[in-house]
């Protein structure tokens, strides 16, 4: 039986995010949290493989205790188990420290529930937007990695092969590799299912496994949390919104409108040139 791990993150709903005009920071109070959009497509693909092969799906997230709600949502959709990694020692982690903890968690999941064959992550998170954690986890676990995947063509459990389509700027790349493998999912990968009534009932009763720093006795403290995060945000700001002067061009024919527009552009450019050259 295949064992698939899906990495998710609970993030602020980007539709509700507001910026504090005084200090230019996110206002998180009163902003609802959701499962990261791209992670949901990774989960959906893992569940599709489960439907076809009977695979086991384990979901994991690192975050504060309220992230349990997001794990329950994944259980309602069909995941088998969920792990919440939470501790004050993990707070303030950047992508380097996060990938370290998530990789160690996947190792512990393999020790607890059996070897991991596939790992799914979202392409990136809506809040950090870096796309670094998935590849970072793959490097730490020495996994083959397939990024920007918009289609899983075949998962051959017997031959332990995976074939996918990767969406690149100049086309589609067809790639085949061996398990174990880490895949980062695009939104084009699939359409996320809705939870069933039995799934919602199971999720309401389900209690995720909770691991803290105490459950990782050999964890290197210098690599977690703020201490393990070399990334520094030196400054944040909100772009200034400037009023734009507009001018309507009306003419009887398209040709006359085009001529009027050309004259206006030439006039504007000449004025800019004069302003630039004047002492």
């Amino acid at each position: 039986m295949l064992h698939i791990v899906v990495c998710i993150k609970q993030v602020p709903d980007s539709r509700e995010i507001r910026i504090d005009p005084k200090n230019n920071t996110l206002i998180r109070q009163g902003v609802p949290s959701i499962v990261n959009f791209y992670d949901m497509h990774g989960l959906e693909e893992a569940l599709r493989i489960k439907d076809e092969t009977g695979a086991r799906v384990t979901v994991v997230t690192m975050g504060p205790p309220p992230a349990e709600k997001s794990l329950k949502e994944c259980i309602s959709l069909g995941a088998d188990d969920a792990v919440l990694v939470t501790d004050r020692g993990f707070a303030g982690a950047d992508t380097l420290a996060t990938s370290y903890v998530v990789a160690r968690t996947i190792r512990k999941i393999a020790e607890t529930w059996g070897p991991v064959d596939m790992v799914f992550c979202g392409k990136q998170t809506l809040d950090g937007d870096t796309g670094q954690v998935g590849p970072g986890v793959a490097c730490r676990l020495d996994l083959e990695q397939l990024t920007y995947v918009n289609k899983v063509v075949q998962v051959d459990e017997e031959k332990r092969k995976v074939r996918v389509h990767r969406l690149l700027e100049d086309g589609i790349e067809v790639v085949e590799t061996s398990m174990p493998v880490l895949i980062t999912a695009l939104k084009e990968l699939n359409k996320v299912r809705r939870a069933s009534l039995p799934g919602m009932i199971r999720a309401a009763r389900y209690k995720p496994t909770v691991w803290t720093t105490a459950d990782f006795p050999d964890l290197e403290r210098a690599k977690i949390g703020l201490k393990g995060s070399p990334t520094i945000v030196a400054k944040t700001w909100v772009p200034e919104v400037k009023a734009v002067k507009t001018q309507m061009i009306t003419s009887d024919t398209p040709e006359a409108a085009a001529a009027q527009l050309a004259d206006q552009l030439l006039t504007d450019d000449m004025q800019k040139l004069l302003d630039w050259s004047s002492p």
Side-chain angles (χ1 to χ4, degrees), residues 156-161:
D156 192 322
E157 184 177 0
E158 184 178 345
K159 295 182 179 179
R160 296 187 59 77
K161 295 285 186 180

Side-chain angles (χ1 to χ4, degrees), residues 65-81:
E68 178 179 321
K69 178 182 177 183
S70 293
L71 291 175
K72 283 177 171 284
E73 181 179 350
C74 296
I75 292 294
S76 73
L77 293 172
D80 297 290
D81 290 291

Side-chain angles (χ1 to χ4, degrees), residues 203-223:
R205 298 171 178 171
Y206 184 83
K207 288 294 183 183
T209 299
V210 178
W211 288 338
T212 67
T213 52
D215 295 287
F216 299 89
D218 57 345
L219 203 66
E220 296 183 52
R221 297 305 179 99
K223 293 184 177 181

Side-chain angles (χ1 to χ4, degrees), residues 48-180:
R48 289 189 179 200
I49 296 171
K50 175 184 175 180
D51 293 341
E52 294 175 1
T53 68
R56 180 192 187 97
V57 176
T58 304
V59 182
V60 60
T61 190
M62 185 181 83
E68 178 179 321
K69 178 182 177 183
S70 293
L71 291 175
K72 283 177 171 284
E73 181 179 350
C74 296
I75 292 294
S76 73
L77 293 172
D80 297 290
D81 290 291
V83 177
L84 172 61
V85 183
T86 183
D87 196 290
R88 287 186 179 273
F90 298 135
D94 65 1
T95 56
L96 186 68
T98 298
S99 63
Y100 172 70
V101 174
V102 172
R104 295 303 299 270
T105 302
I106 293 174
R107 282 201 184 104
K108 189 172 178 63
I109 287 173
E111 295 169 359
T112 306
W113 288 293
V116 175
D117 303 291
M118 302 179 71
V119 178
F120 278 96
C121 301
K123 178 191 72 168
Q124 62 197 53
T125 57
L126 297 177
D127 54 354
D129 210 33
T130 65
Q132 295 173 349
V133 172
V137 170
C139 288
R140 293 182 184 278
L141 294 177
D142 195 25
L143 301 177
E144 299 289 341
Q145 57 176 300
L146 302 172
T147 55
Y148 303 105
V149 172
N150 69 342
K151 183 178 182 180
V152 175
V153 179
Q154 184 181 29
V155 177
D156 192 322
E157 184 177 0
E158 184 178 345
K159 295 182 179 179
R160 296 187 59 77
K161 295 285 186 180
V162 178
R163 186 182 302 126
V164 305
H165 288 179
R166 298 181 64 236
L167 182 60
L168 307 179
E169 291 183 358
D170 56 350
I172 300 293
E173 182 180 53
V174 181
V175 186
E176 182 177 277
T177 191
S178 302
M179 300 182 198

